[in-house]
Amino acid sequence: VDVVFSTDPPPPDTTPPTVSTVLPAIGATGVVTGSTVRATFSEIMNAATITTSSVTLRNAANQLVPAGVSYDSVTRMAILAPSSSLASQTIYTATIKGGASGVQDTAGNALAADFIWSFTTGTPPDQGPGGPILIIAGDTDRFGRYYAEILRTEGFNAFAVSTMSSVTAATLATYDVVFLDVIA
């Protein structure tokens, strides 16, 4: 083997980064409402360009979802963590901004164009689709929603869960059976 020594510098990186994978997946349904949004890039990115203005999430009404954004250079992943749980059964659209004011790799190459995808959240595990059964849980009691798990395990899925403060006489009139979580 002959060793060749060159004093020429390597050619500059002019290849724009791409988004290689996203979570939730493009068009995913039934996404857990407590999920984070993640995007993996084809190369290491400039963390300073991955911000709340370059990585965004919007609800079906096109309103910006409050969230924190971070970047992990080891996994090459941008992570958008909503400040609160997402609404159930709602379409969300995530955007990674491209172009000069968007995300860039460490060589300063920008994502060629905006990368946009949508997903739909599912029903929370402690909530049913509605029906003749109502579970009334305490406003601050997390365990009252456990009845929803019991009903689901027993094969009942026609129920709804509500908090004590949101129940009215009109609400009660629409249900055949009501389970009340007693708070001691």
Side-chain angles (χ1 to χ4, degrees), residues 21-127:
T21 60
V22 292
L23 286 174
I26 297 169
T29 58
V31 174
V32 176
T33 58
S35 295
T36 58
V37 177
R38 298 168 182 258
T40 304
F41 296 95
S42 59
E43 57 185 297
I44 296 175
M45 303 297 286
N46 177 350
T49 66
I50 298 178
T51 65
T52 55
S53 61
S54 63
V55 180
T56 59
L57 183 65
R58 294 186 177 273
N59 63 19
N62 201 31
Q63 297 168 323
L64 192 62
V65 174
V69 174
S70 60
Y71 177 70
D72 182 344
S73 62
V74 175
T75 60
R76 302 183 323 267
M77 185 181 297
I79 303 162
L80 181 142
S83 301
S84 60
S85 292
L86 301 175
S88 63
Q89 299 179 329
T90 302
I91 297 172
Y92 286 91
T93 303
T95 303
I96 300 173
K97 190 168 176 62
S101 62
V103 299
Q104 299 176 0
D105 65 15
T106 55
N109 301 309
L111 190 67
D114 290 356
F115 187 91
I116 302 169
W117 79 101
S118 295
F119 60 89
T120 305
T121 54
T123 302
D126 66 350
Q127 180 68 343

Side-chain angles (χ1 to χ4, degrees), residues 136-142 144-145 162-164 181 183:
I136 302 175
D139 292 333
T140 59
D141 180 20
R142 299 177 322 165
R145 294 182 177 265
S162 183
T163 59
M164 182 66 82
D181 174 37
I183 302 171

Side-chain angles (χ1 to χ4, degrees), residues 165-177:
S165 63
S166 65
V167 174
T168 64
T171 303
L172 290 175
T174 62
Y175 292 96
D176 296 334
V177 177

